[in-house]
Amino acid sequence: MDFLTLRGIHHTYFTKTSAVTALNDISLDVQEGEFVSFLGPSGCGKTTLLSIIAGLLDPTYGQVKLEGKSVKEAADKTGYMLQQDYLFPWKTIEENILLGLKVSKTLDDTKKKEVLSLLRQMGLENVESLYPKQLSGGMRQRVALVRTLATEPKLLMLDEPFSALDYQTKLKLEDLVSNTFKTFGKTAILVTHDIGEAIAMSDRIFLFSPSPGRLHKTFTIPEELRNLTPFNARNHSLYNELFKKIWKELESIEPEEN
Amino acid sequence: MNPKKTELLHQQYLKGLSRERKIVRLYQLLIFIAFFASWETSSQQKWIDPLLFSSPSKIWNLLIEKTMDGSLAVHIGVTLAETVLGFILGTLVGTVLAALLWWSPMLSKILDPYLVVLNSMPKVALGPILIVALGTNLSSIVAMGAIISVIITTIVVYTAFKEVDPNYLKVLQTFGATRTQSFREAILPASFPTIISTLKVNVGLSWVGVIVGEFLVSARGLGYMIIYGFQVFNFTLVFLSLFVIAVFATVMYQLVELLEKKLIKNNQ
């Protein structure tokens, strides 16, 4: 059985003056433990689709099932990471990473120890009692990752989580995230408009075309690249080949922009 | 540049700062002395009518006298209690109303025109009705102190609630937070700075409400002292009340500022 299934997802945003269709007939499956990317130009409804999968938004039509259950019922199995870290500035790092457990009322001493040790595994020592503004951007995004992982979600959704970081930090975090997810056997969906990031991190790439958002093409990343860390994958010859292929495909779906 | 020279420049900079501070203090003191000295002299020399404008020395003597017989302390105590109560009540009720409006967008849409009308209405005009409804006692004066700040608090705090970055709510929703949890974890703490700044405004407003309330009820308190002094043409008493009000209103404002520093130490 598929882990995550999307069937015939349509979504239309209504305003007083217009009805804008953001997503048109999206159907796809994701296997357990897989890392997939939603790639596409802006306006192709990637973030809308991610919100629908996260159960934050109800699709106009269509069904999303996670392990056979609707995503609303399976809310505790999903985790969501935003573009910026959105750590709560009035909470300490410890309070921030325990937030999910506190909200779901599953916080106990064992869980707390686990989460704090996860923080150390991410290379963050002695930051528990600090406030977010005292950390650098990269550190904050790592804290946000710990916060997302703390509730032990099976499916992780990453909405351009590296886009606000500088290039070096971004490459390091890609490796860290990729490693962590492989170790814990997490399923993940990454939304991005960065072709390189999608190739380096994923097992499969779903390419979307804009207005209205449709699934344009699916790319399967070759085994050789998948087994490499994102940083090493970027240096592989297959990476460049694939990059060109996807680049051409992207050019073909947005000709009016040139 | 060598470190010694940097050190020297820093010393000079600090000296400059302290010199500036001294000059500011000096001029503040000069204004204070000049004002009271010219008031005292012009009153003594009858350049102004001493019956109407009194004089600092007369006010001072009255202060001593009223402090000695204990009547001033009673009036201050009453007014202070009313103001603090009205202030706390106004801020609390206003914040709770704002929370209700945030809770139910439907309610906020329905109540919107009423809030606009109530906000533009001069609340002190409700004084006579409050006195009829609650009686000529402490409760109607406290109600005046509260009612004057409650609507504006509701509007300002509600706006702050709405302006909290929706992404904080998104984070909480992905954890399956209820609306109550979202309010407690994100909306309220994120709005603390705004709530504190409305507190500052409310200090002033509550004083206005309470003094006007005491004008109307005319039984006890600093507002009563003003209206009584006015009726028996004892303007020394009026001025004394004004100074006491100025002192206590300032102290209250400073206390709120202190609270602000304590609460918002680690934020933003």
Side-chain angles (χ1 to χ4, degrees):
Chain A
M1 195 182 70
D2 291 315
F3 180 67
L4 175 75
T5 56
L6 277 69
R7 287 287 168 268
I9 303 287
H10 276 269
H11 194 74
T12 307
Y13 286 108
F14 297 102
T15 67
K16 264 186 197 165
T17 48
S18 64
V20 180
T21 301
L23 292 170
N24 189 13
D25 195 20
I26 310 275
S27 296
L28 55 87
D29 301 307
V30 179
Q31 309 303 319
E32 184 153 18
E34 206 178 9
F35 196 117
V36 302
S37 291
F38 292 171
L39 183 66
S42 47
C44 70
K46 297 171 298 211
T47 300
T48 306
L49 188 58
L50 206 61
S51 297
I52 290 173
I53 298 172
L56 298 174
L57 197 67
D58 285 319
T60 316
Y61 299 110
Q63 267 192 329
V64 188
K65 290 253 156 97
L66 184 70
E67 294 186 311
K69 278 193 215 155
S70 87
V71 276
K72 280 261 159 76
E73 290 165 47
D76 56 327
K77 288 187 186 138
T78 59
Y80 197 108
M81 231 173 119
L82 296 147
Q83 210 155 10
Q84 275 156 39
D85 51 77
Y86 284 105
L87 297 177
F88 291 29
W90 53 86
K91 288 181 185 289
T92 61
I93 298 303
E94 178 172 330
E95 286 166 341
N96 263 295
I97 57 177
L98 296 175
L99 183 65
L101 294 169
K102 188 181 166 194
V103 163
S104 60
K105 299 199 172 72
T106 50
L107 183 60
D108 55 37
D109 282 345
T110 345
K111 284 262 175 69
K112 187 172 163 178
K113 264 186 205 141
E114 279 172 25
V115 177
L116 288 174
S117 95
L118 187 62
L119 191 66
R120 281 190 290 280
Q121 284 172 45
M122 295 285 165
L124 294 164
E125 303 261 357
N126 303 322
V127 297
E128 292 89 339
S129 56
L130 297 181
Y131 284 87
K133 66 168 181 194
Q134 294 169 283
L135 304 185
S136 69
M139 288 163 96
R140 292 168 59 129
Q141 199 56 288
R142 273 184 279 168
V143 174
L145 179 64
V146 175
R147 178 174 70 183
T148 314
L149 288 170
T151 51
E152 296 176 21
K154 288 182 143 180
L155 173 66
L156 282 134
M157 281 160 281
L158 314 171
D159 188 359
E160 300 188 30
F162 313 118
S163 61
L165 303 170
D166 61 82
Y167 195 66
Q168 227 179 336
T169 313
K170 169 186 151 124
L171 291 184
K172 280 187 195 153
L173 264 182
E174 279 178 13
D175 275 11
L176 181 73
V177 167
S178 175
N179 260 327
T180 313
F181 286 10
K182 272 200 183 116
T183 318
F184 292 107
K186 303 283 186 198
T187 314
I189 302 172
L190 172 73
V191 160
T192 183
H193 52 240
D194 179 340
I195 305 172
E197 185 173 285
I199 300 172
M201 296 196 74
S202 352
D203 301 325
R204 268 194 301 162
I205 298 175
F206 296 103
L207 184 64
F208 288 84
S209 60
S211 32
R214 270 160 314 182
L215 184 54
H216 183 73
K217 206 164 181 179
T218 310
F219 296 91
T220 306
I221 307 297
E223 200 69 34
E224 293 97 307
L225 284 183
R226 277 197 225 177
N227 292 335
L228 294 173
T229 63
F231 187 81
N232 291 330
R234 281 172 189 271
N235 295 319
H236 199 278
S237 58
L238 279 172
Y239 171 88
N240 286 321
E241 232 171 85
L242 204 54
F243 192 99
K244 278 179 204 150
K245 213 164 121 192
I246 297 177
W247 176 267
K248 276 204 185 118
E249 208 60 58
L250 265 169
E251 291 269 277
S252 75
I253 57 176
E254 44 174 351
E256 74 275 16
E257 281 202 16
N258 293 320
Chain B
M1 203 191 289
N2 69 48
K4 258 199 179 145
K5 200 160 181 196
T6 318
E7 181 69 16
L8 201 70
L9 284 173
H10 189 219
Q11 292 284 339
Q12 277 174 2
Y13 170 75
L14 288 180
K15 252 185 212 154
L17 273 188
S18 105
R19 193 181 313 124
E20 189 186 79
R21 203 165 44 234
K22 272 181 198 151
I23 292 172
V24 169
R25 284 271 177 268
L26 179 71
Y27 277 101
Q28 286 170 339
L29 198 67
L30 276 180
I31 291 174
F32 185 83
I33 293 169
F35 176 73
F36 283 100
S38 58
W39 185 4
E40 183 69 39
T41 337
S42 44
S43 179
Q44 300 254 356
Q45 304 294 322
K46 307 254 156 118
W47 298 333
I48 54 173
D49 189 340
L51 185 66
L52 294 185
F53 294 101
S54 189
S55 71
S57 58
K58 278 200 242 166
I59 297 169
W60 178 255
N61 290 336
L62 188 65
L63 173 70
I64 305 288
E65 184 191 318
K66 290 265 177 196
T67 315
M68 289 313 219
D69 70 11
S71 63
L72 186 63
V74 173
H75 289 301
I76 290 176
V78 169
T79 303
L80 216 52
E82 288 163 348
T83 312
V84 171
L85 267 175
F87 162 72
I88 292 173
L89 215 62
T91 312
L92 249 124
V93 173
T95 308
V96 169
L97 279 177
L100 278 177
L101 293 181
W102 177 82
W103 188 270
S104 160
M106 190 58 139
L107 184 71
S108 96
K109 273 181 200 153
I110 294 170
L111 292 185
D112 183 61
Y114 297 103
L115 281 177
V116 172
V117 171
L118 284 175
N119 187 42
S120 25
M121 172 144 182
K123 261 69 68 179
V124 290
L126 295 173
I129 296 167
L130 282 178
I131 290 165
V132 172
L134 299 170
T136 52
N137 51 38
L138 191 112
S139 56
S140 62
I141 298 172
V142 171
M144 279 288 281
I147 210 166
I148 202 167
S149 58
V150 73
I151 301 294
I152 190 68
T153 306
T154 309
I155 292 173
V156 172
V157 174
Y158 173 58
T159 311
F161 284 170
K162 276 199 306 188
E163 277 168 7
V164 173
D165 193 326
N167 284 309
Y168 289 122
L169 293 180
K170 198 168 178 181
V171 169
L172 284 164
Q173 275 165 16
T174 60
F175 290 134
T178 61
R179 219 161 155 73
T180 320
Q181 283 172 326
S182 296
F183 184 79
R184 209 175 44 221
E185 302 293 341
I187 298 292
L188 193 61
S191 308
F192 256 138
T194 313
I195 294 177
I196 299 284
S197 60
T198 59
L199 285 185
K200 284 188 189 165
V201 177
N202 290 353
V203 169
L205 286 177
S206 300
W207 276 97
V208 174
V210 164
I211 296 299
V212 172
E214 286 177 348
F215 281 180
L216 294 172
V217 175
S218 291
R220 276 180 309 172
L222 297 168
Y224 160 74
M225 270 168 67
I226 292 175
I227 213 81
Y228 176 77
F230 170 60
Q231 281 162 353
V232 302
F233 242 66
N234 181 355
F235 281 93
T236 309
L237 188 62
V238 175
F239 278 113
L240 175 64
S241 321
L242 286 180
F243 284 121
V244 173
I245 290 171
V247 168
F248 280 93
T250 311
V251 168
M252 221 166 132
Y253 187 86
Q254 297 290 340
L255 284 178
V256 173
E257 265 196 341
L258 208 70
L259 181 78
E260 177 178 33
K261 280 200 190 118
K262 280 238 158 17
L263 276 179
I264 319 192
K265 204 169 28 183
N266 291 311
N267 288 356
Q268 276 85 38

